[in-house]
């Protein structure tokens, strides 16, 4: 997995997009081929068809003027007085030329018209004064009319046929009147819905993946582009085909959208005299909701059937990431409250993304768009009671993919190669979970249990419960909810005497505000009233109180942790609040700071401003389960203590004191002190780069104590030399020069390069292969961190890494 | 009590642990002795029942049976006294353990390593120390409970001991006066003033106060089933520790405890509530004391 993502992003972004695009084009064309009703074109390959049409037009535009006029005469009205004939028709029977149906060599200006009997010249007098451009434009329409005419005849679906006929007539009329075709009437004008599909998908990528690293985010962004590309070239089902599939209630809406799509997107794609719009730019939620499921199904089927023809990288992207991407997208598409459909969606992407967005693709936004502030807000949220407690129990499970072994990926790449054996950990955990552990005369009052411990125990015993509740104007609110809201109102107004009661009522009962209520004996004894600004990515905490006789029991901390977990589930990672002088202490304990890390435009104009209060900010880390946080830290602390203790038992040995100083020796090297090496101590040069706490970690120090064997030295030397001689090694030969890249060391805290590695090798620093691998990997990760994926450097890093790993595997110095 | 004997010399954590261990051993043995005593009582009580069974049919009790019953009853009484003695011994040992722990705590504090207790933990400690406060059990049914049992105030001459909990009237930062929960550091007999520490460590205040401003908290709980008269009657005005705080406020007793483990239910004077009183709140016996007339009232009287 790790390796494949790396290689995948190793390709330049353009390569990637192209390869993706070609897949989707295949998909699209085959989708069309499968479709029962070929529309407009022969469908062997839509792409080919479009090209053929273009060639044909080109060819016609190069005709001599005379020939052009002869052609146009067929579609132009007779200019003779009172004559209503709208096109010259050859009086002579057509010579059968089914393919080159426009060939009418016999015609000339004096030939009479079959219907009005005026000569041909009469049909073109008005054209002779026209410019070449105008003539060509008319000819383009003529070709389009012919194509539509053929399409209409081939079309089997009656509804679609009607649309072709309408467009056919429209174009005919425009040729006659020499006007530009415009489509008016009940269909409306594009865009039909806001936000557009393209905008919503971009929002989705920002909303769901904004927190990812640049590399991972890029992959998601490319999937989004691929999906949009597919939609733009998709042949949608006819309403009648769909009706049989049974979507009766939305059928009328679909029919309208389908017609719009034919008229504005599908037909204009091959009839370029009609104004063309991209499906994803003019349609919005209704269409996407209607077609998403079937599109996904067909897309995935197609992906699977083509899997063998894909490159391994693309296979990973398309078969592993794409389905996940689509299922996440599906949730948002069908969720009423999803912010991706918010016309004012605003989430400032991390800086690297902003650059990517602005530089790439047709759906990048103008920078100014982010600045726009509006209070419009869609509020279709469901405000009924949500008990988040059961949800929380599921959280650790849900996050287990990424959370189960945190930093697994990074660990593998870089630092701790020596993980503890599972048994050791299990043993220690068993010990510290043993109720008899740490039992003694002082165990009656364990001095400093975490603040929220009691509250958590009470929650597990159902003494207290937590609910997120809120008022609603559009949906029925249960009596229980109302009673609790009133109770909360009383708690807030009693505990916050400085707040006017009316103001508290106004916010607690406002449908946009929700309250996390703490319920004991069926009555609220505390709560946090908050307002989510999903589009802004933050929540404002408005009131926070626990009734006085229930204070100092850890409820406040537990409430806040609950709120944090609730928000992580809702993908909001910022809290803002105006804290008065009494509340600052509380908020500080809960991880809030007066240092606001959010950019001002994100919250200005949204959050209520209070005089004399201090704005405080808390950023959440989505990887943390806050209600479990103290317990986890505590456990980790115990494990470390236990490990230190175990290690002490293993190596405990009393050495006779040093006597050399008595004999006049002024100093000795640290490593010559008896026993010091056994403790895992390393010289400065080693600890500096390896970081601390290495000494307590299992077998590594023992390995380090062994003399460096010459065979390892020689093996590493040969690998290092071949790596240095590789054609992609040139960026990494020397340390990066600060003069060339002034900000490099601001970003890269642990620089590494091949020269430094050679020096270290000579100094016999690489006493294990792991140190060597770690330094080498550091070179590549640094490079990928600093450079964007479309740079030569980035490609070099990927290529050289692969090469390095191959070489290591060859000589058996690589795991797995 | 223990305080006079072994603790002249500062004792270490180990010594304290050792002493506690010893007392735990004593208690363990006492429990067996109590069980033995109880069995003996059981036997005698059975005999009494049997004797009664024999004599019920006719009303007249023969002198033989009179004698027999008399001796049986006195044996039962002495058995019960023995058992009581043992139980009291065991309780005394428990109190000794409390005293040792308290002593140890005071010494550690005086030595400068004052353990910092978080507020939440402090509240828990206050609650549990009130729940485990020794229960007064009179030697005889009519015995008068001693001072500092339940609502019985201390004698006028009583001096609270080092480490005892008191309510102390201290001046706040803005001239307002508050009854706070404090611990006695020492009493100076020449100035007749107490030195007390605010129990809330976040305040970190030491106060020197005249005797008048210090009210010792009860050292024993009164059992409502046997010593109801040692409780504040319903409707009396008291000072009570507001739940989850370390301050005493004026309150009205709303409901008395009915068992030794129950708490008072009081209504605090609280202008922020519409009717001027808080909703009913529970406060342990230890933290309900009789109100002291404020200085102003006193000078008027």
């Amino acid at each position: 997995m790790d390796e494949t993502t790396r290689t995948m992003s190793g390709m330049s972004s353009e390569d990637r997009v192209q390869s993706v695009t070609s897949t989707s084009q295949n998909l699209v064309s085959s989708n069309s081929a499968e479709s029962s009703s070929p529309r407009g074109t022969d469908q062997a390959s839509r792409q080919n068809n479009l090209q053929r049409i273009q060639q044909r037009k080109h060819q016609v535009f190069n005709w001599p003027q005379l020939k052009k006029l002869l052609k146009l005469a067929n579609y132009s009205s007779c200019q003779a007085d009172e004559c209503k004939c709208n096109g010259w028709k050859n009086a002579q029977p057509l010579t059968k030329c089914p393919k080159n149906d426009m060939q009418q060599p016999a015609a000339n200006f004096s030939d009479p018209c079959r219907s009005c009997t005026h000569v041909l010249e009469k049909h073109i007098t008005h054209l002779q004064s026209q410019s070449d451009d105008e003539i060509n434009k008319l000819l383009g329409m003529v070709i389009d009319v012919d194509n539509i005419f053929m399409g209409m005849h081939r079309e089997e679906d009656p509804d679609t046929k009607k649309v072709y006929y309408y467009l056919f007539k429209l174009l005919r009329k425009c040729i006659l009147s020499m006007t530009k075709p415009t489509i008016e009437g009940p269909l409306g004008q594009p865009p039909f819905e806001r936000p557009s599909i393209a905008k919503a998908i971009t929002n989705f990528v920002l909303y769901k993946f904004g927190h990812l690293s640049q590399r991972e985010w890029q992959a998601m962004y490319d999937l989004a582009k691929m999906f949009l590309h597919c939609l733009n070239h998709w042949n949608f089902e006819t309403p009648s085909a769909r009706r049989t599939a049974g979507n009766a209630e939305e059928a009328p809406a679909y029919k309208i959208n389908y017609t719009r799509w034919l008229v504005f997107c599908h037909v204009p794609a091959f009839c370029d005299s009609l104004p063309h719009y991209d499906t994803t730019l003019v349609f919005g939620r209704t269409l996407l909701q209607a077609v998403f499921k079937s599109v996904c199904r067909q897309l995935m089927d197609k992906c699977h059937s083509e899997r063998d023809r894909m490159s391994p990288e693309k296979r990973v992207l398309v078969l592993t990431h794409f389905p996940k991407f689509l299922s996440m997208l599906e949730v948002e598409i069908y969720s009423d409250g999803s912010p991706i459909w918010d016309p004012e969606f605003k989430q400032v992407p991390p800086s690297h993304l902003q650059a990517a967005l602005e530089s790439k693709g047709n759906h990048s936004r103008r920078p100014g768009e982010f600045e726009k502030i509006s209070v419009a807000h869609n509020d279709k949220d469901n405000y009924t009671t949500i008990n988040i407690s059961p949800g929380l129990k599921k959280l650790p499970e849900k996050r287990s993919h990424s959370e189960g072994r945190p930093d697994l990926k990074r660990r593998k790449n870089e630092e701790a190669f020596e993980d503890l054996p599972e048994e050791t950990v299990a043993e220690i955990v068993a010990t510290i979970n043993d109720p008899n552990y740490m039992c003694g005369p002082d165990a009656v009052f364990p001095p400093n249990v975490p603040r929220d411990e009691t509250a958590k125990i009470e929650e597990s015993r159902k003494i207290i419960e937590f609910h997120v509740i809120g008022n609603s104007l559009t949906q029925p609110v249960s009596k229980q909810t109302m009673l609790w809201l009133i109770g909360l109102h009383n708690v807030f107004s009693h505990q916050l005497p400085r707040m006017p009661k009316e103001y508290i009522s106004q916010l607690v009962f406002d449908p946009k505000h929700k309250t996390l209520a703490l319920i004991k004996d069926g009555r609220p004894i505390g709560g946090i009233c908050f307002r989510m600004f999903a589009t802004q990515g933050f929540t404002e905490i408005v009131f926070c109180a626990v009734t006085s006789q229930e204070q100092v029991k850890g409820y406040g901390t537990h409430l806040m942790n609950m709120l944090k977990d609730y928000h992580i589930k809702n993908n909001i990672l910022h809290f803002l609040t105006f804290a008065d002088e009494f509340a600052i202490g509380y908020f500080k304990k809960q991880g809030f700071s007066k240092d606001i890390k959010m950019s001002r435009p994100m919250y200005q104009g949204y959050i209520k401003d209070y005089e004399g209060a201090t704005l405080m900010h808390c950023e959440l880390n989505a990887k943390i389960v806050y209600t479990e946080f103290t317990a986890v830290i505590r456990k980790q602390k115990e494990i470390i203590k236990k490990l230190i203790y175990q290690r002490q038992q293993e190596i405990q040995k009393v050495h006779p004191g040093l006597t050399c100083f008595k004999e006049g020796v002024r100093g000795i090297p640290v490593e010559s002190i008896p026993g010091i090496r056994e403790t895992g101590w390393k010289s400065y040069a080693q600890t500096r780069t390896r970081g601390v706490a290495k000494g307590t970690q299992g077998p590594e120090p023992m390995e380090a104590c062994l003399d460096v064997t010459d065979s390892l030295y020689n093996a590493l030397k040969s690998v290092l030399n071949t790596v240095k001689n590789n054609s992609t090694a040139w960026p990494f030969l020397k340390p990066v020069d600060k003069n060339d890249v002034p900000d490099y060391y601001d970003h890269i805290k642990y620089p590494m390069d091949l020269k430094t590695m050679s020096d270290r090798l000579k100094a016999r620093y690489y006493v294990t292969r792991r140190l060597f691998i770690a330094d080498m990997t550091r070179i590549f990760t640094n490079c990928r961190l600093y450079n964007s994926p479309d740079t030569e450097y980035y490609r070099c890093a990927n290529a050289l890494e692969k090469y390095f790993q191959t070489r290591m595997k060859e000589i058996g110095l690589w795991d797995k | 009590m223990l305080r006079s004997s072994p603790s002249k010399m500062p004792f270490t954590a180990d010594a304290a642990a050792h002493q506690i261990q010893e007392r735990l051993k004593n208690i363990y043995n006492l429990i067996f002795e109590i069980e033995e005593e109880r069995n003996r009582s059981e036997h005698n009580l059975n005999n009494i029942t049997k004797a009664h069974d024999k004599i019920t049919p006719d009303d007249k009790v023969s002198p033989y049976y009179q004698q027999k019953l008399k001796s049986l009853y006195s044996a039962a009484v002495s058995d019960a006294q023995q058992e009581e003695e043992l139980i009291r011994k065991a309780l005394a040992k428990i109190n000794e353990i409390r005293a040792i722990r308290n002593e140890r705590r005071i010494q550690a504090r005086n030595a400068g390593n004052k353990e910092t207790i978080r507020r939440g933990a402090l509240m828990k400690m206050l609650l549990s120390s009130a729940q485990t406060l020794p229960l007064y059990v009179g030697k005889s049914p009519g015995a008068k409970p001693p001072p500092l049992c339940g609502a019985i105030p201390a004698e006028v001459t009583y001096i609270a001991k080092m480490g005892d909990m008191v309510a102390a009237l201290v001046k706040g930062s803005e001239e307002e006066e508050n009854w706070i929960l404090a611990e006695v550091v020492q009493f100076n007999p020449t100035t007749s003033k107490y030195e007390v520490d605010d129990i809330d460590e976040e305040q970190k205040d030491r106060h020197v106060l005249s005797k008048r401003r210090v009210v010792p908290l009860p050292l024993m709980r009164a059992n409502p089933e046997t010593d109801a008269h040692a409780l504040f009657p319903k409707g009396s005005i008291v000072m009570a520790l507001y739940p989850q705080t370390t301050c005493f406020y004026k309150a009205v007793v709303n409901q008395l405890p009915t068992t030794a483990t129950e708490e008072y239910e009081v209504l605090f004077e609280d202008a922020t509530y519409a009717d001027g009183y808080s909703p009913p709140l529970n406060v342990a016996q230890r933290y309900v004391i009789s109100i002291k007339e404020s200085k102003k009232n006193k000078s008027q009287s």
Side-chain angles (χ1 to χ4, degrees):
Chain A
M1 161 82 201
D2 188 24
E3 200 168 317
T4 41
T5 30
R6 193 184 305 134
T7 13
M8 186 188 83
S9 20
M11 301 168 2
S12 89
S13 64
E14 254 158 61
D15 286 351
R16 218 174 323 147
V17 172
Q18 241 163 34
S19 57
V20 167
T21 318
S22 66
T23 326
S24 51
Q25 271 163 3
N26 288 342
L27 295 176
V28 170
S29 57
S30 11
N31 154 269
S32 313
E34 277 158 15
S35 138
S36 58
S37 53
R39 263 160 248 131
T41 49
D42 219 338
Q43 301 296 340
S45 155
R46 181 189 168 100
Q47 207 62 26
N48 285 348
N49 252 319
L50 296 181
Q51 271 170 17
R52 221 179 306 137
I53 292 167
Q54 278 311 310
Q55 281 169 2
R56 168 82 183 140
K57 284 189 177 168
H58 222 77
Q59 211 181 326
V60 173
F61 295 158
N62 288 330
W63 277 354
Q65 180 79 356
L66 180 70
K67 197 170 173 189
K68 285 182 185 176
L69 291 176
L70 284 176
K71 172 82 188 158
L72 279 174
N74 289 304
Y75 298 88
S76 302
S77 51
C78 182
Q79 301 297 308
D81 290 342
E82 302 288 309
C83 183
K84 293 217 172 70
C85 175
N86 61 6
W88 183 84
K89 288 188 184 60
N90 200 340
Q92 272 144 43
L94 268 175
T95 46
K96 49 174 168 95
C97 281
K99 227 172 186 180
N100 306 326
D101 51 326
M102 283 158 239
Q103 287 284 19
Q104 286 160 338
N108 62 52
F109 284 10
S110 55
D111 281 350
C113 171
R114 179 153 50 98
S115 48
C116 71
T117 67
H118 296 112
V119 290
L120 189 147
E121 197 176 5
K122 278 286 176 200
H123 284 263
I124 54 162
T125 45
H126 61 295
L127 294 175
Q128 278 158 328
S129 58
Q130 297 296 327
S131 69
D132 276 0
D133 273 356
E134 195 57 42
I135 298 292
N136 283 350
K137 227 179 264 170
L138 291 171
L139 276 170
M141 285 198 257
V142 166
I143 293 167
D144 288 342
V145 164
D146 290 343
N147 285 334
I148 290 175
F149 185 76
M150 286 193 297
M152 183 170 74
H153 274 275
R154 251 183 251 129
E155 183 56 61
E156 286 159 14
D157 178 68
D159 296 324
T160 315
K161 224 181 174 86
K162 267 185 230 159
V163 174
Y164 278 110
Y165 183 61
Y166 163 77
L167 290 173
F168 169 79
K169 284 210 307 193
L170 176 80
L171 277 183
R172 285 291 311 253
K173 216 161 83 197
C174 289
I175 299 169
L176 290 176
S177 61
M178 293 199 297
T179 52
K180 234 179 125 188
T182 48
I183 297 154
E184 275 156 2
L187 279 181
Q189 289 300 310
F192 305 107
E193 238 182 317
R194 302 225 69 128
S196 67
I197 294 174
K199 176 81 161 59
I201 302 287
T202 318
N203 292 347
F204 166 75
V205 176
L206 271 179
Y207 172 56
K208 282 289 175 191
F209 309 112
H211 60 284
L212 293 182
S213 73
Q214 178 169 6
R215 200 146 56 99
E216 291 165 311
W217 186 85
Q218 187 64 49
M220 292 304 136
Y221 185 72
D222 290 340
L223 286 177
K225 280 170 75 171
M226 170 170 139
F227 180 73
L228 288 174
H229 180 94
C230 291
L231 275 185
N232 278 335
H233 296 88
W234 199 266
N235 269 355
F236 294 109
E237 284 177 299
T238 59
S240 49
R242 220 179 130 73
R243 212 171 298 135
T244 55
N247 288 294
E249 68 281 11
E250 49 184 53
Y254 183 74
K255 191 169 175 182
I256 293 172
N257 273 334
Y258 176 80
T259 314
R260 286 168 170 169
W261 169 76
L262 275 179
V263 169
F264 291 100
C265 307
H266 182 71
V267 177
F270 59 90
C271 296
D272 63 2
S273 45
L274 289 167
H276 173 255
Y277 299 89
D278 275 337
T279 312
T280 58
L281 291 178
V282 295
F283 289 98
R285 194 199 309 228
T286 328
L287 181 73
L288 190 55
Q289 282 185 345
V291 301
F292 184 76
K293 280 176 184 154
S294 78
V295 167
C296 279
R297 204 170 41 244
Q298 293 181 51
L299 256 181
M300 286 328 298
D301 286 352
K302 204 66 217 164
C303 287
H304 281 288
S305 67
E306 286 188 359
R307 59 186 302 164
D308 296 334
R309 273 185 279 156
M310 295 176 196
S311 65
E313 298 86 49
K314 208 201 294 171
R315 208 180 298 153
V316 171
L317 184 72
V318 168
L319 296 180
T320 312
H321 296 290
F322 202 37
K324 267 190 239 157
F325 177 91
L326 290 178
S327 65
M328 284 175 81
L329 181 58
E330 181 169 345
V331 172
E332 298 304 323
I333 286 175
Y334 294 103
S335 147
D336 278 344
S338 173
I340 71 165
W341 294 112
D342 189 319
E344 302 297 331
F345 179 90
K346 195 170 104 172
Q347 184 162 321
V348 170
S351 53
H352 66 88
L353 301 188
Q354 215 159 2
L357 273 178
E358 275 156 24
S359 64
K360 285 201 174 82
N362 24 5
H363 11 266
S364 77
R365 317 131 178 271
R366 285 170 290 114
E369 218 166 312
F370 287 113
E371 311 296 329
K372 203 166 65 187
I373 290 179
S374 154
V375 275
H377 192 75
N378 70 328
D379 263 312
K380 286 175 190 159
D381 301 73
N382 189 358
Y383 281 103
T384 43
T385 305
I386 313 153
N387 188 351
I388 62 176
S389 306
L392 281 169
K393 293 215 178 71
K394 270 181 229 146
L395 267 181
E397 264 172 51
K398 206 178 91 185
R399 291 192 200 163
S400 62
H401 304 291
S402 56
E403 186 76 4
R405 302 186 59 188
D407 293 338
L408 184 63
K409 190 172 137 191
R410 205 184 315 144
R411 278 229 294 262
K412 229 195 228 158
N413 274 351
E414 300 172 18
E415 297 284 347
F417 288 90
E418 301 292 357
D419 208 345
L420 290 166
E422 294 273 338
E423 314 88 73
T424 315
V425 177
E427 198 182 300
I428 292 170
V429 169
T431 317
I432 62 175
N433 284 343
D434 183 349
N436 292 323
Y437 179 68
M438 292 272 299
C439 247
D442 288 321
V444 184
F445 302 120
N448 271 325
V449 292
R451 263 191 206 101
D452 56 347
E453 191 76 7
T454 323
K456 274 158 70 176
I457 293 168
E458 290 190 10
E459 191 196 1
S460 69
R461 292 187 188 151
K462 306 256 187 290
I463 298 171
I464 54 171
E465 31 182 307
F466 294 85
H467 299 273
V468 175
I469 56 171
N471 197 5
S472 173
L473 300 177
T474 52
Q475 273 158 336
V477 181
S478 74
K479 191 177 171 196
Q480 179 70 94
T481 299
M482 264 308 166
L483 287 173
W484 282 347
L485 283 174
I486 293 167
L488 284 163
H489 175 264
N490 292 342
V491 171
F492 289 139
S493 54
H494 191 255
Q495 296 304 130
L496 310 166
R498 292 193 193 176
M499 288 280 174
K501 276 200 173 59
E502 302 72 31
Y503 182 67
I504 293 173
S505 324
Q506 192 187 324
L507 298 187
V508 169
F509 292 99
D510 171 49
K512 290 191 182 74
H513 286 74
K514 295 186 201 181
T515 305
L516 172 62
L518 164 60
I519 309 292
K520 190 175 189 174
D521 297 329
R523 295 172 58 184
I525 56 163
I528 300 178
C529 180
F530 61 97
R531 175 162 175 193
M532 279 179 163
F533 292 95
T535 56
Q536 306 308 105
F538 81 88
T539 273
E540 177 191 6
I541 292 175
V542 187
F543 307 123
C544 173
V546 173
T547 197
S548 37
Q549 66 266 21
E550 299 287 357
Q551 285 178 8
V552 212
K553 290 184 178 176
Y555 293 150
T557 299
H558 197 43
L559 266 173
M560 188 56 79
N561 286 338
M562 283 281 193
L563 193 70
K564 288 177 176 174
D565 286 342
Y566 176 79
H567 276 79
I568 286 168
K569 253 177 39 186
N570 285 283
N571 206 34
I572 290 181
L573 301 179
H574 296 275
F575 284 172
L576 286 174
T577 192
F578 271 101
D580 66 19
E581 49 174 326
F582 307 110
I584 290 176
Y586 165 78
F587 282 113
K588 271 189 179 160
K589 282 183 205 157
Q590 307 305 330
F592 285 68
S593 154
K594 294 176 189 175
D595 185 12
I596 311 300
K597 297 253 167 61
M598 274 180 85
S599 72
R600 207 178 173 79
M602 286 300 284
Y603 61 85
Q604 202 169 31
Y606 289 87
I607 186 167
K608 291 171 272 297
D609 212 325
Y610 295 95
E611 223 172 277
T614 313
L615 185 62
M616 296 184 85
H617 173 221
C618 176
E619 182 168 1
L620 308 183
N621 185 327
K623 286 187 183 148
I624 296 175
V625 180
Y626 282 90
T627 44
E628 298 295 325
F629 189 61
T630 47
V632 169
I633 296 289
R634 197 152 280 258
K635 194 163 269 188
Q636 287 176 350
K637 199 167 137 189
E638 289 302 329
I639 292 173
I640 298 286
K641 268 159 77 178
K642 199 79 193 160
L643 281 171
I644 294 172
Y645 175 75
Q646 280 187 355
R647 185 109 187 98
Q648 274 172 347
Q649 299 304 103
E650 276 168 36
I651 60 170
Q652 200 170 41
K653 189 183 172 190
V654 179
H655 292 271
L658 293 170
T659 53
C660 54
F661 300 109
K662 268 188 204 159
E663 290 150 14
V665 180
R666 302 203 56 173
I668 57 166
V670 177
E671 53 268 41
S672 69
I673 299 169
I676 199 156
R677 295 223 294 184
E678 287 84 336
T679 64
W681 180 88
K682 280 181 202 154
S683 76
Y684 173 69
Q686 292 167 8
T687 43
R688 187 182 43 146
T689 46
R690 300 307 316 146
V692 282
K694 217 38 205 212
T696 60
Q697 289 186 354
E700 166 94 353
M702 304 310 285
E703 203 179 332
C705 291
L706 301 172
D707 283 334
V708 183
T709 60
D710 277 340
S711 67
L712 177 64
Y713 175 83
N714 290 334
L716 296 181
K717 191 177 171 185
S718 92
V719 172
L720 188 57
N721 282 334
T722 53
V723 167
K724 276 160 89 175
N725 291 331
N726 189 282
S727 61
T728 55
W730 57 269
F732 315 113
L733 292 175
K734 294 183 313 213
V736 173
D737 189 343
K738 199 172 164 43
N739 296 323
D740 298 338
V741 194
D743 71 340
Y744 185 79
Y745 292 95
D746 296 340
H747 298 279
I748 302 301
K749 296 294 170 212
Y750 302 104
M752 187 45 60
D753 64 278
L754 294 171
K755 180 170 182 304
T756 309
M757 285 189 72
S758 301
D759 296 341
R760 287 186 161 187
L761 184 68
K762 270 184 215 137
R764 302 269 168 160
Y765 164 77
Y766 296 116
V767 290
T768 79
R769 66 195 166 91
R770 302 183 186 286
L771 291 173
F772 183 77
I773 294 170
D775 274 353
M776 189 67 85
T777 312
R778 175 77 74 190
I779 295 179
F780 305 130
T781 49
N782 281 349
C783 172
R784 283 188 291 253
L785 193 63
Y786 185 81
N787 299 293
S788 66
D790 51 5
T791 57
E792 189 61 33
Y793 299 112
Y794 202 104
R795 275 191 285 275
C796 282
N798 288 327
L800 193 59
E801 176 163 52
K802 219 167 196 172
Y803 179 73
F804 165 66
Q805 289 173 0
T806 318
R807 295 286 298 129
M808 290 296 275
K809 279 173 196 153
E810 276 172 15
I811 57 169
L813 285 179
W814 193 261
D815 294 324
K816 285 154 238 167
Chain B
M1 277 286 268
L2 173 97
R3 197 169 285 135
S4 52
S5 48
S7 62
K8 284 281 166 260
M9 191 174 82
F11 63 149
T12 58
D14 280 349
H18 179 72
Q19 288 189 6
I20 291 174
Q21 210 56 46
E22 214 165 79
R23 276 156 185 83
L24 286 173
K25 254 183 235 162
N26 287 339
I27 294 171
Y28 180 77
N29 290 330
L30 280 168
I31 288 171
F32 282 102
E33 288 176 38
I34 291 167
E35 189 56 27
E36 229 170 79
E37 209 53 57
R38 191 194 295 269
N39 286 338
R40 196 176 303 155
S41 297
E42 203 72 30
H43 180 71
N44 255 335
L45 291 172
N46 275 339
N47 286 345
I48 291 173
T49 325
K50 273 182 203 156
H52 273 290
D53 285 347
K54 279 177 188 159
I55 56 173
T56 24
D58 44 276
D59 278 340
K60 232 176 168 216
V61 184
S62 69
Y64 167 74
Y65 269 114
Q66 278 181 7
Q67 201 53 44
K68 177 154 190 179
L69 275 175
K70 220 176 199 174
S71 67
L72 279 174
Y73 274 116
S74 54
V77 167
S78 91
D79 283 348
Q81 276 167 346
Q82 290 264 356
E83 192 182 339
E84 183 194 359
E85 205 52 44
L86 288 171
I87 293 173
R88 284 192 191 277
K89 256 193 200 164
L91 286 170
K93 291 290 167 199
I94 293 173
N95 277 339
E96 281 177 28
I97 291 173
R98 285 171 69 98
I100 291 168
R101 286 178 60 103
N102 200 34
E103 195 82 9
R104 174 76 200 128
R105 189 177 57 83
I106 293 167
Q107 281 190 2
R109 190 190 57 195
N110 291 344
N113 44 359
K114 195 175 177 184
E115 78 270 49
T116 46
I117 310 172
R118 224 183 243 159
R119 254 226 180 97
L122 175 70
M123 292 305 160
K124 251 196 215 164
M125 271 173 59
L126 293 179
L127 205 65
S128 85
S129 68
Q131 282 164 351
T132 57
L133 195 69
L135 179 70
Y136 167 73
V137 183
K139 288 252 183 191
S140 57
K144 198 175 159 234
L148 291 179
C149 166
I152 316 275
E155 281 159 6
V156 191
T157 53
Y158 178 81
I159 303 299
K161 299 192 176 55
M162 193 212 297
D164 280 356
M165 294 290 190
V166 294
L169 183 63
V170 300
K171 276 205 171 68
S173 50
E174 285 154 21
E175 279 306 299
E176 91 282 7
E177 297 201 316
N178 273 320
W179 283 97
I180 63 159
L181 185 60
E183 186 184 325
V184 173
V185 180
Q186 63 172 31
F187 178 72
N188 186 337
T190 46
T191 57
S192 200
K193 281 192 170 170
Y194 278 104
E195 219 173 288
V196 300
D197 270 347
D198 193 329
I199 200 79
D200 184 350
E201 288 169 9
E202 283 180 33
Q203 311 292 335
K204 282 197 177 100
D205 280 336
R206 181 163 288 194
H207 306 272
V208 179
L209 301 167
S210 67
K211 249 188 100 183
R212 202 158 38 77
R213 291 174 161 263
V214 174
V215 180
L217 299 190
L219 294 174
M220 277 190 273
R221 279 176 293 156
N223 187 347
E225 285 155 308
T226 57
D227 299 295
H229 54 285
L231 295 172
F232 291 106
K234 184 177 159 82
S236 48
I237 311 285
V238 294
M239 291 296 280
L241 195 72
Y242 200 94
Q244 300 301 110
T245 73
T246 57
C247 278
F248 290 85
Y249 295 98
K250 211 174 181 183
V252 181
V253 173
N254 194 45
Q255 210 171 299
L256 273 63
T258 57
T259 67
T261 50
E262 270 185 21
E263 303 183 321
Y264 282 101
E265 192 184 278
V266 302
L267 309 172
F268 284 94
E269 244 181 32
D270 190 338
T272 59
Y273 288 97
D275 58 359
Y277 291 97
S278 73
L281 295 170
N282 290 338
V283 183
Q285 276 196 43
R286 190 188 195 194
Y287 302 121
V288 179
I289 54 175
S290 73
I291 188 166
K292 271 226 156 176
E293 296 289 307
S294 80
K295 218 198 300 181
K296 237 184 263 166
N297 292 347
K298 210 172 191 180
S299 56
Q300 277 165 3
S301 65

